[in-house]
Amino acid sequence: MKLDDLQLAVMKALWKLGKASVTQVRDELQKDSRDLAITTIGTVLSRLEKKGAVAHESEGKQYIYKPLITESETRKSMLGTLLEQFFGGSPKALVNHLVSEGEFDKKEIDLLKKLLDEEQ
C-alpha cells in the first residue's frame, strides 16, 4: 500500500496508540512538531479508511480509529515499491547503492555481513 508522508505519519501515530480519536492523533503528531488542523487529520483518516488501512467505530459523537494494516506490512509494501521503482526489483542493487554512497559505517557493515552469514 502506497502512503504519502502525512498518511504515514498518521499511521505511525495510530500504531503507537493502538486506537485513537482524531484529537488523540493530532496530539501525538504535535509531539513530532506537526501542528495540523483537526479537519486535516480527519480528512487523512477518512482517506486511509477508503484505502482499507484503518477502520473506525463510533464512541458517542466521535470516531475512534484503529489500524487495519501493520507497520511491518506497510514497510514491506513501501520497500517493495521503492525497489521496483529505483532498483529494478533488486535488493542487491539497493544494498550496493547504500554501501557505495557511504550510508553504512564500519560497524553497520560488519553487522550486515553477520546477518548475511546467518542467512546462508
Side-chain angles (χ1 to χ4, degrees):
M1 176 174 299
K2 186 175 180 183
L3 302 177
D4 65 31
D5 198 38
L6 185 53
Q7 290 172 333
L8 186 57
V10 168
M11 288 303 301
K12 285 180 179 181
L14 278 178
W15 290 323
K16 183 175 182 182
L17 297 169
K19 62 180 183 175
S21 67
V22 175
T23 302
Q24 290 168 319
V25 171
R26 182 200 59 198
D27 293 346
E28 187 63 31
L29 291 173
Q30 284 179 333
K31 292 177 184 177
D32 294 328
S33 302
R34 285 188 178 253
D35 192 19
L36 300 167
I38 291 282
T39 53
T40 301
I41 296 167
T43 299
V44 172
L45 285 164
S46 177
R47 290 181 180 157
L48 287 168
E49 191 165 24
K50 287 177 185 169
K51 286 184 168 191
V54 302
H56 78 271
E57 49 192 52
S58 295
E59 277 188 17
K61 292 184 178 183
Q62 68 179 350
Y63 286 168
I64 302 297
Y65 291 89
K66 65 179 181 179
L68 296 179
I69 57 174
T70 67
E71 189 170 4
S72 177
E73 291 169 333
T74 305
R75 185 182 302 121
K76 185 176 180 178
S77 173
M78 292 180 75
L79 183 56
T81 300
L82 175 82
L83 280 173
E84 282 300 319
Q85 290 178 340
F86 291 100
F87 300 100
S90 170
K92 180 181 175 185
L94 169 62
V95 172
N96 185 48
H97 171 77
L98 294 172
V99 171
S100 67
E101 292 295 318
E103 297 294 330
F104 292 117
D105 61 24
K106 171 95 170 87
K107 186 176 177 181
E108 290 169 325
I109 290 173
D110 290 342
L111 179 60
L112 183 58
K113 286 178 183 177
K114 182 179 175 186
L115 289 170
L116 291 171
D117 286 342
E118 289 173 2
E119 286 296 316
Q120 294 178 356

